[in-house]
PDB file of all heavy atoms in Angstrom:
ATOM      1  N   THR A1488    -119.869   3.838   0.231  1.00  0.00           N
ATOM      2  CA  THR A1488    -120.340   4.640   1.354  1.00  0.00           C
ATOM      3  C   THR A1488    -119.573   4.125   2.560  1.00  0.00           C
ATOM      4  O   THR A1488    -119.513   2.909   2.786  1.00  0.00           O
ATOM      5  CB  THR A1488    -121.862   4.479   1.552  1.00  0.00           C
ATOM      6  OG1 THR A1488    -122.523   4.935   0.366  1.00  0.00           O
ATOM      7  CG2 THR A1488    -122.348   5.291   2.734  1.00  0.00           C
ATOM      8  N   TYR A1489    -118.957   5.045   3.299  1.00  0.00           N
ATOM      9  CA  TYR A1489    -118.118   4.629   4.417  1.00  0.00           C
ATOM     10  C   TYR A1489    -118.195   5.644   5.545  1.00  0.00           C
ATOM     11  O   TYR A1489    -118.623   6.788   5.348  1.00  0.00           O
ATOM     12  CB  TYR A1489    -116.662   4.418   3.970  1.00  0.00           C
ATOM     13  CG  TYR A1489    -116.041   5.596   3.269  1.00  0.00           C
ATOM     14  CD1 TYR A1489    -115.367   6.593   3.978  1.00  0.00           C
ATOM     15  CD2 TYR A1489    -116.115   5.730   1.887  1.00  0.00           C
ATOM     16  CE1 TYR A1489    -114.791   7.672   3.338  1.00  0.00           C
ATOM     17  CE2 TYR A1489    -115.542   6.811   1.233  1.00  0.00           C
ATOM     18  CZ  TYR A1489    -114.885   7.776   1.960  1.00  0.00           C
ATOM     19  OH  TYR A1489    -114.327   8.842   1.315  1.00  0.00           O
ATOM     20  N   ILE A1490    -117.797   5.209   6.735  1.00  0.00           N
ATOM     21  CA  ILE A1490    -117.810   6.066   7.917  1.00  0.00           C
ATOM     22  C   ILE A1490    -116.382   6.242   8.411  1.00  0.00           C
ATOM     23  O   ILE A1490    -115.643   5.261   8.570  1.00  0.00           O
ATOM     24  CB  ILE A1490    -118.699   5.481   9.031  1.00  0.00           C
ATOM     25  CG1 ILE A1490    -120.157   5.433   8.555  1.00  0.00           C
ATOM     26  CG2 ILE A1490    -118.573   6.298  10.320  1.00  0.00           C
ATOM     27  CD1 ILE A1490    -121.110   4.755   9.519  1.00  0.00           C
ATOM     28  N   LEU A1491    -116.003   7.507   8.630  1.00  0.00           N
ATOM     29  CA  LEU A1491    -114.685   7.836   9.164  1.00  0.00           C
ATOM     30  C   LEU A1491    -114.821   8.358  10.589  1.00  0.00           C
ATOM     31  O   LEU A1491    -115.774   9.068  10.912  1.00  0.00           O
ATOM     32  CB  LEU A1491    -113.998   8.903   8.302  1.00  0.00           C
ATOM     33  CG  LEU A1491    -113.688   8.531   6.861  1.00  0.00           C
ATOM     34  CD1 LEU A1491    -113.024   9.713   6.157  1.00  0.00           C
ATOM     35  CD2 LEU A1491    -112.818   7.288   6.777  1.00  0.00           C
ATOM     36  N   LYS A1492    -113.840   8.029  11.423  1.00  0.00           N
ATOM     37  CA  LYS A1492    -113.733   8.511  12.799  1.00  0.00           C
ATOM     38  C   LYS A1492    -112.554   9.474  12.853  1.00  0.00           C
ATOM     39  O   LYS A1492    -111.457   9.156  12.380  1.00  0.00           O
ATOM     40  CB  LYS A1492    -113.499   7.326  13.733  1.00  0.00           C
ATOM     41  CG  LYS A1492    -113.110   7.682  15.143  1.00  0.00           C
ATOM     42  CD  LYS A1492    -114.303   8.042  15.959  1.00  0.00           C
ATOM     43  CE  LYS A1492    -113.887   8.173  17.438  1.00  0.00           C
ATOM     44  NZ  LYS A1492    -114.599   9.211  18.100  1.00  0.00           N
ATOM     45  N   TYR A1493    -112.783  10.673  13.411  1.00  0.00           N
ATOM     46  CA  TYR A1493    -111.779  11.742  13.415  1.00  0.00           C
ATOM     47  C   TYR A1493    -111.165  11.960  14.793  1.00  0.00           C
ATOM     48  O   TYR A1493    -111.810  11.765  15.818  1.00  0.00           O
ATOM     49  CB  TYR A1493    -112.427  13.053  12.953  1.00  0.00           C
ATOM     50  CG  TYR A1493    -112.682  13.073  11.478  1.00  0.00           C
ATOM     51  CD1 TYR A1493    -113.845  12.514  10.946  1.00  0.00           C
ATOM     52  CD2 TYR A1493    -111.756  13.606  10.600  1.00  0.00           C
ATOM     53  CE1 TYR A1493    -114.078  12.504   9.583  1.00  0.00           C
ATOM     54  CE2 TYR A1493    -111.981  13.599   9.229  1.00  0.00           C
ATOM     55  CZ  TYR A1493    -113.137  13.051   8.738  1.00  0.00           C
ATOM     56  OH  TYR A1493    -113.353  13.031   7.386  1.00  0.00           O
ATOM     57  N   SER A1494    -109.916  12.435  14.772  1.00  0.00           N
ATOM     58  CA  SER A1494    -109.204  12.860  15.971  1.00  0.00           C
ATOM     59  C   SER A1494    -108.533  14.192  15.657  1.00  0.00           C
ATOM     60  O   SER A1494    -107.634  14.249  14.812  1.00  0.00           O
ATOM     61  CB  SER A1494    -108.166  11.799  16.365  1.00  0.00           C
ATOM     62  OG  SER A1494    -107.468  12.206  17.511  1.00  0.00           O
ATOM     63  N   TRP A1495    -108.993  15.252  16.319  1.00  0.00           N
ATOM     64  CA  TRP A1495    -108.527  16.614  16.048  1.00  0.00           C
ATOM     65  C   TRP A1495    -107.460  17.010  17.055  1.00  0.00           C
ATOM     66  O   TRP A1495    -107.569  16.721  18.241  1.00  0.00           O
ATOM     67  CB  TRP A1495    -109.704  17.584  16.121  1.00  0.00           C
ATOM     68  CG  TRP A1495    -110.767  17.242  15.133  1.00  0.00           C
ATOM     69  CD1 TRP A1495    -111.838  16.404  15.326  1.00  0.00           C
ATOM     70  CD2 TRP A1495    -110.856  17.680  13.778  1.00  0.00           C
ATOM     71  NE1 TRP A1495    -112.576  16.313  14.172  1.00  0.00           N
ATOM     72  CE2 TRP A1495    -112.005  17.083  13.213  1.00  0.00           C
ATOM     73  CE3 TRP A1495    -110.075  18.522  12.987  1.00  0.00           C
ATOM     74  CZ2 TRP A1495    -112.389  17.302  11.901  1.00  0.00           C
ATOM     75  CZ3 TRP A1495    -110.457  18.748  11.683  1.00  0.00           C
ATOM     76  CH2 TRP A1495    -111.600  18.150  11.143  1.00  0.00           C
ATOM     77  N   HIS A1496    -106.439  17.713  16.581  1.00  0.00           N
ATOM     78  CA  HIS A1496    -105.333  18.175  17.422  1.00  0.00           C
ATOM     79  C   HIS A1496    -105.201  19.681  17.226  1.00  0.00           C
ATOM     80  O   HIS A1496    -104.244  20.161  16.592  1.00  0.00           O
ATOM     81  CB  HIS A1496    -104.047  17.432  17.054  1.00  0.00           C
ATOM     82  CG  HIS A1496    -104.240  15.947  16.991  1.00  0.00           C
ATOM     83  ND1 HIS A1496    -104.294  15.157  18.115  1.00  0.00           N
ATOM     84  CD2 HIS A1496    -104.458  15.115  15.942  1.00  0.00           C
ATOM     85  CE1 HIS A1496    -104.517  13.899  17.756  1.00  0.00           C
ATOM     86  NE2 HIS A1496    -104.622  13.851  16.449  1.00  0.00           N
ATOM     87  N   GLY A1497    -106.192  20.411  17.736  1.00  0.00           N
ATOM     88  CA  GLY A1497    -106.235  21.859  17.562  1.00  0.00           C
ATOM     89  C   GLY A1497    -106.239  22.205  16.084  1.00  0.00           C
ATOM     90  O   GLY A1497    -106.942  21.571  15.294  1.00  0.00           O
ATOM     91  N   ASP A1498    -105.455  23.209  15.720  1.00  0.00           N
ATOM     92  CA  ASP A1498    -105.319  23.590  14.315  1.00  0.00           C
ATOM     93  C   ASP A1498    -104.032  23.037  13.711  1.00  0.00           C
ATOM     94  O   ASP A1498    -103.630  23.443  12.624  1.00  0.00           O
ATOM     95  CB  ASP A1498    -105.356  25.119  14.168  1.00  0.00           C
ATOM     96  CG  ASP A1498    -106.721  25.697  14.472  1.00  0.00           C
ATOM     97  OD1 ASP A1498    -107.733  24.990  14.261  1.00  0.00           O
ATOM     98  OD2 ASP A1498    -106.790  26.851  14.916  1.00  0.00           O
ATOM     99  N   ASP A1499    -103.381  22.098  14.419  1.00  0.00           N
ATOM    100  CA  ASP A1499    -102.112  21.539  13.952  1.00  0.00           C
ATOM    101  C   ASP A1499    -102.293  20.324  13.054  1.00  0.00           C
ATOM    102  O   ASP A1499    -101.551  20.152  12.086  1.00  0.00           O
ATOM    103  CB  ASP A1499    -101.223  21.164  15.137  1.00  0.00           C
ATOM    104  CG  ASP A1499    -100.787  22.377  15.936  1.00  0.00           C
ATOM    105  OD1 ASP A1499    -100.565  23.446  15.327  1.00  0.00           O
ATOM    106  OD2 ASP A1499    -100.680  22.254  17.166  1.00  0.00           O
ATOM    107  N   SER A1500    -103.265  19.460  13.381  1.00  0.00           N
ATOM    108  CA  SER A1500    -103.456  18.265  12.568  1.00  0.00           C
ATOM    109  C   SER A1500    -104.802  17.621  12.861  1.00  0.00           C
ATOM    110  O   SER A1500    -105.443  17.909  13.875  1.00  0.00           O
ATOM    111  CB  SER A1500    -102.333  17.246  12.808  1.00  0.00           C
ATOM    112  OG  SER A1500    -102.408  16.716  14.113  1.00  0.00           O
ATOM    113  N   VAL A1501    -105.195  16.761  11.949  1.00  0.00           N
ATOM    114  CA  VAL A1501    -106.376  15.923  12.132  1.00  0.00           C
ATOM    115  C   VAL A1501    -106.067  14.556  11.531  1.00  0.00           C
ATOM    116  O   VAL A1501    -105.432  14.461  10.486  1.00  0.00           O
ATOM    117  CB  VAL A1501    -107.640  16.541  11.498  1.00  0.00           C
ATOM    118  CG1 VAL A1501    -107.466  16.773  10.001  1.00  0.00           C
ATOM    119  CG2 VAL A1501    -108.866  15.672  11.758  1.00  0.00           C
ATOM    120  N   ASP A1502    -106.473  13.521  12.251  1.00  0.00           N
ATOM    121  CA  ASP A1502    -106.301  12.146  11.785  1.00  0.00           C
ATOM    122  C   ASP A1502    -107.681  11.533  11.617  1.00  0.00           C
ATOM    123  O   ASP A1502    -108.619  11.891  12.329  1.00  0.00           O
ATOM    124  CB  ASP A1502    -105.554  11.291  12.830  1.00  0.00           C
ATOM    125  CG  ASP A1502    -104.258  11.897  13.274  1.00  0.00           C
ATOM    126  OD1 ASP A1502    -103.441  12.228  12.410  1.00  0.00           O
ATOM    127  OD2 ASP A1502    -104.066  12.039  14.498  1.00  0.00           O
ATOM    128  N   TRP A1503    -107.779  10.580  10.717  1.00  0.00           N
ATOM    129  CA  TRP A1503    -109.021   9.831  10.595  1.00  0.00           C
ATOM    130  C   TRP A1503    -108.714   8.384  10.260  1.00  0.00           C
ATOM    131  O   TRP A1503    -107.652   8.060   9.747  1.00  0.00           O
ATOM    132  CB  TRP A1503    -109.963  10.442   9.555  1.00  0.00           C
ATOM    133  CG  TRP A1503    -109.411  10.481   8.166  1.00  0.00           C
ATOM    134  CD1 TRP A1503    -109.543   9.531   7.194  1.00  0.00           C
ATOM    135  CD2 TRP A1503    -108.633  11.526   7.574  1.00  0.00           C
ATOM    136  NE1 TRP A1503    -108.893   9.914   6.049  1.00  0.00           N
ATOM    137  CE2 TRP A1503    -108.332  11.145   6.252  1.00  0.00           C
ATOM    138  CE3 TRP A1503    -108.153  12.752   8.038  1.00  0.00           C
ATOM    139  CZ2 TRP A1503    -107.580  11.934   5.394  1.00  0.00           C
ATOM    140  CZ3 TRP A1503    -107.416  13.537   7.177  1.00  0.00           C
ATOM    141  CH2 TRP A1503    -107.133  13.128   5.872  1.00  0.00           C
ATOM    142  N   THR A1504    -109.685   7.552  10.597  1.00  0.00           N
ATOM    143  CA  THR A1504    -109.572   6.133  10.316  1.00  0.00           C
ATOM    144  C   THR A1504    -110.946   5.602   9.916  1.00  0.00           C
ATOM    145  O   THR A1504    -111.966   6.141  10.348  1.00  0.00           O
ATOM    146  CB  THR A1504    -108.980   5.370  11.524  1.00  0.00           C
ATOM    147  OG1 THR A1504    -108.693   4.040  11.140  1.00  0.00           O
ATOM    148  CG2 THR A1504    -109.898   5.381  12.713  1.00  0.00           C
ATOM    149  N   LEU A1505    -110.931   4.570   9.115  1.00  0.00           N
ATOM    150  CA  LEU A1505    -112.167   3.964   8.643  1.00  0.00           C
ATOM    151  C   LEU A1505    -112.818   3.161   9.757  1.00  0.00           C
ATOM    152  O   LEU A1505    -112.179   2.330  10.390  1.00  0.00           O
ATOM    153  CB  LEU A1505    -111.878   3.044   7.453  1.00  0.00           C
ATOM    154  CG  LEU A1505    -113.087   2.393   6.801  1.00  0.00           C
ATOM    155  CD1 LEU A1505    -113.887   3.412   6.003  1.00  0.00           C
ATOM    156  CD2 LEU A1505    -112.649   1.246   5.901  1.00  0.00           C
ATOM    157  N   GLU A1506    -114.100   3.449   9.999  1.00  0.00           N
ATOM    158  CA  GLU A1506    -114.890   2.675  10.953  1.00  0.00           C
ATOM    159  C   GLU A1506    -115.714   1.615  10.241  1.00  0.00           C
ATOM    160  O   GLU A1506    -115.917   0.531  10.768  1.00  0.00           O
ATOM    161  CB  GLU A1506    -115.839   3.606  11.717  1.00  0.00           C
ATOM    162  CG  GLU A1506    -115.503   3.776  13.135  1.00  0.00           C
ATOM    163  CD  GLU A1506    -116.565   4.546  13.904  1.00  0.00           C
ATOM    164  OE1 GLU A1506    -117.742   4.632  13.499  1.00  0.00           O
ATOM    165  OE2 GLU A1506    -116.185   5.078  14.941  1.00  0.00           O
ATOM    166  N   GLU A1507    -116.209   1.967   9.062  1.00  0.00           N
ATOM    167  CA  GLU A1507    -117.105   1.072   8.329  1.00  0.00           C
ATOM    168  C   GLU A1507    -117.033   1.406   6.851  1.00  0.00           C
ATOM    169  O   GLU A1507    -117.045   2.571   6.477  1.00  0.00           O
ATOM    170  CB  GLU A1507    -118.524   1.304   8.860  1.00  0.00           C
ATOM    171  CG  GLU A1507    -119.607   0.471   8.277  1.00  0.00           C
ATOM    172  CD  GLU A1507    -120.956   0.866   8.879  1.00  0.00           C
ATOM    173  OE1 GLU A1507    -121.075   0.916  10.122  1.00  0.00           O
ATOM    174  OE2 GLU A1507    -121.871   1.131   8.091  1.00  0.00           O
ATOM    175  N   GLY A1508    -116.932   0.389   6.026  1.00  0.00           N
ATOM    176  CA  GLY A1508    -116.894   0.607   4.582  1.00  0.00           C
ATOM    177  C   GLY A1508    -117.298  -0.650   3.843  1.00  0.00           C
ATOM    178  O   GLY A1508    -117.509  -1.703   4.454  1.00  0.00           O
ATOM    179  N   GLY A1509    -117.385  -0.537   2.548  1.00  0.00           N
ATOM    180  CA  GLY A1509    -117.712  -1.671   1.701  1.00  0.00           C
ATOM    181  C   GLY A1509    -116.517  -2.021   0.837  1.00  0.00           C
ATOM    182  O   GLY A1509    -115.730  -2.899   1.160  1.00  0.00           O
ATOM    183  N   VAL A1510    -116.362  -1.296  -0.273  1.00  0.00           N
ATOM    184  CA  VAL A1510    -115.221  -1.493  -1.171  1.00  0.00           C
ATOM    185  C   VAL A1510    -113.931  -1.062  -0.470  1.00  0.00           C
ATOM    186  O   VAL A1510    -112.898  -1.705  -0.596  1.00  0.00           O
ATOM    187  CB  VAL A1510    -115.416  -0.704  -2.487  1.00  0.00           C
ATOM    188  CG1 VAL A1510    -114.181  -0.781  -3.363  1.00  0.00           C
ATOM    189  CG2 VAL A1510    -116.633  -1.231  -3.238  1.00  0.00           C
ATOM    190  N   ILE A1511    -114.006   0.023   0.279  1.00  0.00           N
ATOM    191  CA  ILE A1511    -112.840   0.505   1.037  1.00  0.00           C
ATOM    192  C   ILE A1511    -112.797  -0.274   2.349  1.00  0.00           C
ATOM    193  O   ILE A1511    -113.727  -0.206   3.144  1.00  0.00           O
ATOM    194  CB  ILE A1511    -112.923   2.018   1.281  1.00  0.00           C
ATOM    195  CG1 ILE A1511    -112.958   2.756  -0.056  1.00  0.00           C
ATOM    196  CG2 ILE A1511    -111.751   2.497   2.139  1.00  0.00           C
ATOM    197  CD1 ILE A1511    -113.253   4.234   0.052  1.00  0.00           C
ATOM    198  N   LYS A1512    -111.701  -1.028   2.553  1.00  0.00           N
ATOM    199  CA  LYS A1512    -111.621  -1.818   3.786  1.00  0.00           C
ATOM    200  C   LYS A1512    -110.641  -1.233   4.800  1.00  0.00           C
ATOM    201  O   LYS A1512    -110.627  -1.632   5.951  1.00  0.00           O
ATOM    202  CB  LYS A1512    -111.302  -3.279   3.491  1.00  0.00           C
ATOM    203  CG  LYS A1512    -109.917  -3.586   3.016  1.00  0.00           C
ATOM    204  CD  LYS A1512    -109.744  -5.101   2.865  1.00  0.00           C
ATOM    205  CE  LYS A1512    -108.327  -5.467   2.591  1.00  0.00           C
ATOM    206  NZ  LYS A1512    -108.167  -6.926   2.468  1.00  0.00           N
ATOM    207  N   GLN A1513    -109.836  -0.262   4.371  1.00  0.00           N
ATOM    208  CA  GLN A1513    -108.963   0.457   5.294  1.00  0.00           C
ATOM    209  C   GLN A1513    -108.713   1.840   4.734  1.00  0.00           C
ATOM    210  O   GLN A1513    -108.476   2.004   3.533  1.00  0.00           O
ATOM    211  CB  GLN A1513    -107.631  -0.269   5.483  1.00  0.00           C
ATOM    212  CG  GLN A1513    -106.703   0.445   6.454  1.00  0.00           C
ATOM    213  CD  GLN A1513    -105.371  -0.278   6.652  1.00  0.00           C
ATOM    214  OE1 GLN A1513    -105.089  -1.291   6.022  1.00  0.00           O
ATOM    215  NE2 GLN A1513    -104.548   0.263   7.530  1.00  0.00           N
ATOM    216  N   GLN A1514    -108.801   2.844   5.604  1.00  0.00           N
ATOM    217  CA  GLN A1514    -108.438   4.205   5.219  1.00  0.00           C
ATOM    218  C   GLN A1514    -107.955   4.924   6.462  1.00  0.00           C
ATOM    219  O   GLN A1514    -108.690   5.065   7.431  1.00  0.00           O
ATOM    220  CB  GLN A1514    -109.620   4.974   4.611  1.00  0.00           C
ATOM    221  CG  GLN A1514    -109.192   6.352   4.142  1.00  0.00           C
ATOM    222  CD  GLN A1514    -110.323   7.204   3.591  1.00  0.00           C
ATOM    223  OE1 GLN A1514    -110.347   8.394   3.832  1.00  0.00           O
ATOM    224  NE2 GLN A1514    -111.237   6.628   2.852  1.00  0.00           N
ATOM    225  N   ASP A1515    -106.716   5.328   6.437  1.00  0.00           N
ATOM    226  CA  ASP A1515    -106.125   6.123   7.507  1.00  0.00           C
ATOM    227  C   ASP A1515    -105.531   7.356   6.851  1.00  0.00           C
ATOM    228  O   ASP A1515    -104.820   7.238   5.848  1.00  0.00           O
ATOM    229  CB  ASP A1515    -105.015   5.350   8.230  1.00  0.00           C
ATOM    230  CG  ASP A1515    -105.529   4.098   8.905  1.00  0.00           C
ATOM    231  OD1 ASP A1515    -106.561   4.179   9.592  1.00  0.00           O
ATOM    232  OD2 ASP A1515    -104.908   3.035   8.741  1.00  0.00           O
ATOM    233  N   GLY A1516    -105.808   8.504   7.419  1.00  0.00           N
ATOM    234  CA  GLY A1516    -105.277   9.723   6.824  1.00  0.00           C
ATOM    235  C   GLY A1516    -104.951  10.762   7.864  1.00  0.00           C
ATOM    236  O   GLY A1516    -105.407  10.691   9.007  1.00  0.00           O
ATOM    237  N   THR A1517    -104.153  11.730   7.444  1.00  0.00           N
ATOM    238  CA  THR A1517    -103.763  12.843   8.304  1.00  0.00           C
ATOM    239  C   THR A1517    -103.528  14.081   7.457  1.00  0.00           C
ATOM    240  O   THR A1517    -102.909  14.001   6.394  1.00  0.00           O
ATOM    241  CB  THR A1517    -102.440  12.541   9.053  1.00  0.00           C
ATOM    242  OG1 THR A1517    -102.569  11.328   9.771  1.00  0.00           O
ATOM    243  CG2 THR A1517    -102.063  13.658  10.004  1.00  0.00           C
ATOM    244  N   TYR A1518    -104.060  15.204   7.927  1.00  0.00           N
ATOM    245  CA  TYR A1518    -103.643  16.516   7.446  1.00  0.00           C
ATOM    246  C   TYR A1518    -102.802  17.113   8.564  1.00  0.00           C
ATOM    247  O   TYR A1518    -103.250  17.171   9.714  1.00  0.00           O
ATOM    248  CB  TYR A1518    -104.831  17.449   7.213  1.00  0.00           C
ATOM    249  CG  TYR A1518    -105.544  17.307   5.903  1.00  0.00           C
ATOM    250  CD1 TYR A1518    -106.864  16.861   5.855  1.00  0.00           C
ATOM    251  CD2 TYR A1518    -104.929  17.662   4.700  1.00  0.00           C
ATOM    252  CE1 TYR A1518    -107.546  16.761   4.650  1.00  0.00           C
ATOM    253  CE2 TYR A1518    -105.603  17.561   3.491  1.00  0.00           C
ATOM    254  CZ  TYR A1518    -106.910  17.111   3.478  1.00  0.00           C
ATOM    255  OH  TYR A1518    -107.589  17.013   2.281  1.00  0.00           O
ATOM    256  N   THR A1519    -101.592  17.564   8.253  1.00  0.00           N
ATOM    257  CA  THR A1519    -100.729  18.231   9.222  1.00  0.00           C
ATOM    258  C   THR A1519    -100.407  19.617   8.695  1.00  0.00           C
ATOM    259  O   THR A1519     -99.956  19.759   7.549  1.00  0.00           O
ATOM    260  CB  THR A1519     -99.423  17.439   9.436  1.00  0.00           C
ATOM    261  OG1 THR A1519     -99.755  16.105   9.831  1.00  0.00           O
ATOM    262  CG2 THR A1519     -98.555  18.083  10.501  1.00  0.00           C
ATOM    263  N   LEU A1520    -100.647  20.641   9.520  1.00  0.00           N
ATOM    264  CA  LEU A1520    -100.431  22.023   9.121  1.00  0.00           C
ATOM    265  C   LEU A1520     -99.211  22.585   9.845  1.00  0.00           C
ATOM    266  O   LEU A1520     -99.122  22.500  11.070  1.00  0.00           O
ATOM    267  CB  LEU A1520    -101.664  22.874   9.458  1.00  0.00           C
ATOM    268  CG  LEU A1520    -102.871  22.761   8.521  1.00  0.00           C
ATOM    269  CD1 LEU A1520    -103.402  21.350   8.410  1.00  0.00           C
ATOM    270  CD2 LEU A1520    -103.968  23.703   8.951  1.00  0.00           C
ATOM    271  N   THR A1521     -98.281  23.142   9.075  1.00  0.00           N
ATOM    272  CA  THR A1521     -97.062  23.719   9.637  1.00  0.00           C
ATOM    273  C   THR A1521     -96.958  25.176   9.200  1.00  0.00           C
ATOM    274  O   THR A1521     -96.922  25.467   8.005  1.00  0.00           O
ATOM    275  CB  THR A1521     -95.814  22.942   9.147  1.00  0.00           C
ATOM    276  OG1 THR A1521     -95.983  21.560   9.480  1.00  0.00           O
ATOM    277  CG2 THR A1521     -94.558  23.487   9.784  1.00  0.00           C
ATOM    278  N   ASP A1522     -96.912  26.069  10.195  1.00  0.00           N
ATOM    279  CA  ASP A1522     -96.789  27.497   9.912  1.00  0.00           C
ATOM    280  C   ASP A1522     -95.391  27.771   9.368  1.00  0.00           C
ATOM    281  O   ASP A1522     -94.390  27.423   9.992  1.00  0.00           O
ATOM    282  CB  ASP A1522     -97.028  28.289  11.195  1.00  0.00           C
ATOM    283  CG  ASP A1522     -97.181  29.783  10.947  1.00  0.00           C
ATOM    284  OD1 ASP A1522     -96.590  30.303   9.982  1.00  0.00           O
ATOM    285  OD2 ASP A1522     -97.904  30.418  11.726  1.00  0.00           O
ATOM    286  N   ASP A1523     -95.322  28.382   8.189  1.00  0.00           N
ATOM    287  CA  ASP A1523     -94.034  28.673   7.566  1.00  0.00           C
ATOM    288  C   ASP A1523     -93.397  29.956   8.087  1.00  0.00           C
ATOM    289  O   ASP A1523     -92.264  30.272   7.732  1.00  0.00           O
ATOM    290  CB  ASP A1523     -94.194  28.759   6.044  1.00  0.00           C
ATOM    291  CG  ASP A1523     -94.618  27.431   5.427  1.00  0.00           C
ATOM    292  OD1 ASP A1523     -94.342  26.376   6.026  1.00  0.00           O
ATOM    293  OD2 ASP A1523     -95.245  27.463   4.349  1.00  0.00           O
ATOM    294  N   GLY A1524     -94.137  30.717   8.909  1.00  0.00           N
ATOM    295  CA  GLY A1524     -93.591  31.932   9.501  1.00  0.00           C
ATOM    296  C   GLY A1524     -93.596  33.132   8.589  1.00  0.00           C
ATOM    297  O   GLY A1524     -93.047  34.174   8.925  1.00  0.00           O
ATOM    298  N   ASN A1525     -94.217  33.017   7.419  1.00  0.00           N
ATOM    299  CA  ASN A1525     -94.227  34.128   6.468  1.00  0.00           C
ATOM    300  C   ASN A1525     -95.641  34.410   5.940  1.00  0.00           C
ATOM    301  O   ASN A1525     -95.811  34.925   4.852  1.00  0.00           O
ATOM    302  CB  ASN A1525     -93.281  33.827   5.301  1.00  0.00           C
ATOM    303  CG  ASN A1525     -93.679  32.558   4.560  1.00  0.00           C
ATOM    304  OD1 ASN A1525     -94.674  31.927   4.885  1.00  0.00           O
ATOM    305  ND2 ASN A1525     -92.894  32.189   3.562  1.00  0.00           N
ATOM    306  N   GLY A1526     -96.645  34.011   6.731  1.00  0.00           N
ATOM    307  CA  GLY A1526     -98.032  34.206   6.308  1.00  0.00           C
ATOM    308  C   GLY A1526     -98.591  33.037   5.527  1.00  0.00           C
ATOM    309  O   GLY A1526     -99.727  33.086   5.052  1.00  0.00           O
ATOM    310  N   SER A1527     -97.797  31.994   5.384  1.00  0.00           N
ATOM    311  CA  SER A1527     -98.289  30.809   4.678  1.00  0.00           C
ATOM    312  C   SER A1527     -98.126  29.572   5.558  1.00  0.00           C
ATOM    313  O   SER A1527     -97.391  29.578   6.542  1.00  0.00           O
ATOM    314  CB  SER A1527     -97.565  30.621   3.345  1.00  0.00           C
ATOM    315  OG  SER A1527     -96.200  30.359   3.544  1.00  0.00           O
TER     316      SER A1527
END
Side-chain angles (χ1 to χ4, degrees):
T1488 299
Y1489 54 89
I1490 296 175
L1491 297 179
K1492 169 81 171 144
Y1493 286 85
S1494 179
W1495 300 90
H1496 311 282
D1498 291 331
D1499 294 325
S1500 68
V1501 59
D1502 307 307
W1503 61 91
T1504 189
L1505 183 73
E1506 249 188 22
E1507 181 182 308
V1510 174
I1511 300 171
K1512 71 176 189 179
Q1513 181 180 3
Q1514 184 183 141
D1515 298 313
T1517 305
Y1518 277 114
T1519 304
L1520 282 58
T1521 304
D1522 191 330
D1523 296 335
N1525 59 2
S1527 64

